[in-house]
Amino acid sequence: MFDDPLALARLQFALTAGTHYVFVALTLGLAPFLLFSQWRAVRLRDPARMTAVRFWGGLYVVNYAMGVLSGIVMELQLAVNWSGLTEVFGYAFAAPLAAETMAAFFVESTFLGLWIVGWDRMGRWTHLGCFAVVTLTAYASAYWVMVANGFLRNPVGFRMDGDRALLTDPLAVAFNPSGLLGFAHVSVTALFVGGLFVCAVSAYHLMRGRDPEGMFRRGLRCGLVLVMAAIAPVAVTGGTQFRFTEGPTPTTGLTYGEAEIAEIEGAYDSAYSWIWDVAGGAMTVVWELVILLMLVATVAWVARRLDRWRWFHRVLIAAPVLPYTSSVGGWVYREFGRQPWTVTHHLTTAEAVTPMSPAMAAVSFTLFTAAFALLGCTTVWLLVRYARRGPEGGPLAPPTAQEGVEEPVSV
């Protein structure tokens, strides 16, 4: 594999996209939770609830920073390592990515900055409005990314002009059913991720007997509600996407004829198809474990033992690995199902990759992988560090609250 530039380019992008999605999913999952929590705090004029918003908001900001960095690198890789895709489908495929850039890097980042510096400087409703914009633009960003990804799976709204695709129907691209279903699935999966993350952090502090003014009891219950609300929609939106894994697309025949398509797919080297099988199996196992976890949580809640079962708190602390495993496995399953095509029935993966020597591909893979490993590990360390320190030691805690804060002892 390491002497094959195509295999290295694919693996590099898979690692980049997987790392990026891990942080994006938590951003999308925490944003509605934070928005609701701040709305409650503002409406009730409750300082204790606002302290909780500062704590969860600090974790959100740390995670958001890594999402931005990894997103920039991922789009850079599209231009550098996959020039065949941009040369042929740049006019069609790049349009939703340009809209995503405007939403995420301009509007979302601007209002998040205002929210960060606006504590005690803005009116409480204006400050809440800033985060409402952040939440809306975060989901708008995810929507445009899934529109672009949906185009790769179900290409619509273009015509071929020689060797280039020209956009002819922007509405068809924007409302592509593959993109809409993908966005719906990502949205509810993110609630699944965010809910279990909130549960894990809350369970850690409850197990240690630290629950200032009930913030972690509330966090545990809100997190479980998010997870329980997301379970059925995750299954439905995920299952309905299978109809895009086989058969012709609305534009099949514009580039390759049916015989050529059959020949390309017949000659596809399926040496890595086991990865697809492993990803599908992982999603199934994770799903069964999550359902079991939620059944136990329901029993604990009804029996009024949710705050007292320390063994269950330990389980919840490890629980976020489940939605992360399922989410990354879902991406792998979705993308492998499109092979050997980058744009289904129009552009193969081999045609999309930038021509490069094995040495160049190996250097690119090594540098990007090392950089992402460093950034990812640093972000996880910061998240764990601030989550353990509690509301007095978070990035958004008032300066007076951070004085004298010590690292908690591990349990």
Side-chain angles (χ1 to χ4, degrees):
M1 180 184 75
F2 290 98
D3 59 352
D4 182 358
L6 175 58
L8 282 173
R10 289 178 64 189
L11 181 58
Q12 178 180 324
F13 192 80
L15 291 173
T16 303
T19 303
H20 177 63
Y21 182 70
V22 162
F23 295 101
V24 167
L26 183 55
T27 296
L28 293 174
L30 284 179
F33 167 75
L34 261 174
L35 182 63
F36 174 76
S37 298
Q38 186 170 357
W39 172 77
R40 288 273 292 170
V42 167
R43 188 174 68 85
L44 297 175
R45 294 177 177 268
D46 187 345
R49 291 179 184 272
M50 195 60 76
T51 299
V53 172
R54 282 182 176 266
F55 170 69
W56 296 112
L59 300 181
Y60 178 92
V61 170
V62 170
N63 184 78
Y64 176 86
M66 180 58 190
V68 170
L69 287 174
S70 57
I72 292 172
V73 175
M74 191 168 68
E75 294 201 9
L76 175 64
Q77 284 190 43
L78 278 175
V80 175
N81 285 3
W82 301 97
S83 60
L85 172 61
T86 55
E87 286 175 4
V88 179
F89 284 93
Y91 289 109
F93 171 73
L97 291 182
E100 187 272 337
T101 300
M102 292 294 293
F105 296 112
F106 289 95
V107 181
E108 184 181 2
S109 298
T110 298
F111 278 87
L112 181 61
L114 290 172
W115 186 75
I116 292 171
V117 302
W119 291 96
D120 304 321
R121 293 180 174 88
M122 296 181 179
R124 65 186 193 279
W125 289 106
T126 302
H127 192 246
L128 174 65
C130 286
F131 199 79
V133 175
V134 170
T135 302
L136 289 174
T137 50
Y139 277 84
S141 175
Y143 168 75
W144 287 115
V145 169
M146 294 313 301
V147 166
N149 185 270
F151 179 86
L152 301 181
R153 292 178 62 84
N154 188 52
V156 294
F158 72 95
R159 65 177 176 84
M160 296 302 299
D161 183 12
D163 293 332
R164 293 194 174 185
L166 300 180
L167 188 64
T168 58
D169 190 349
L171 291 180
V173 175
F175 297 102
N176 187 341
S178 177
L180 293 177
L181 282 172
F183 170 66
H185 187 61
V186 165
S187 298
V188 291
T189 301
L191 296 179
F192 185 27
V193 172
L196 275 183
F197 177 82
V198 172
C199 287
V201 176
S202 299
Y204 171 79
H205 287 281
L206 289 173
M207 190 176 67
R208 298 182 66 247
R210 297 179 70 247
D211 188 22
E213 300 182 288
M215 66 175 291
F216 292 117
R217 284 194 293 274
R218 291 193 301 271
L220 182 58
R221 284 160 175 75
C222 288
L224 288 175
V225 168
L226 280 177
V227 176
M228 292 175 180
I231 285 180
V234 167
V236 172
T237 56
T240 51
Q241 295 182 68
F242 282 103
R243 66 190 179 99
F244 295 106
T245 58
E246 296 180 356
T249 73
T251 55
T252 294
L254 289 181
T255 307
Y256 288 104
E258 292 184 9
E260 292 175 303
I261 291 171
E263 182 180 356
I264 290 171
E265 293 180 345
Y268 172 58
D269 181 7
S270 58
Y272 301 108
S273 61
W274 61 270
I275 299 177
W276 195 64
D277 296 330
V278 169
M283 287 191 294
T284 302
V285 171
V286 165
W287 198 244
E288 293 172 349
L289 290 174
V290 168
I291 291 176
L292 177 61
L293 182 68
M294 289 303 102
L295 288 174
V296 175
T298 302
V299 172
W301 201 332
V302 172
R304 298 184 178 181
R305 292 293 184 271
L306 197 57
D307 305 327
R308 304 177 186 179
W309 282 356
R310 293 201 170 195
W311 67 268
F312 186 57
H313 293 163
R314 290 188 174 89
V315 172
L316 286 176
I317 291 171
V321 74
L322 296 177
Y324 280 129
T325 301
S326 180
S327 297
V328 174
W331 269 112
V332 172
Y333 193 87
R334 178 183 174 93
E335 298 307 295
F336 257 90
R338 196 175 65 243
Q339 296 303 313
W341 304 98
T342 294
V343 181
T344 304
H345 297 171
H346 295 286
L347 186 73
T348 67
T349 309
E351 293 169 333
V353 73
T354 300
M356 66 182 83
S357 67
M360 290 175 59
V363 169
S364 176
F365 174 81
T366 302
L367 292 177
F368 275 100
T369 302
F372 259 72
L374 178 62
L375 288 171
C377 290
T378 301
T379 305
V380 171
W381 176 77
L382 287 172
L383 282 173
V384 172
R385 180 171 183 263
Y386 286 127
R388 291 176 63 202
R389 291 178 70 176
E392 301 85 3
L396 297 183
T400 54
Q402 296 185 24
E403 295 176 2
V405 174
E406 299 179 358
E407 287 290 333
V409 178
S410 299
V411 176

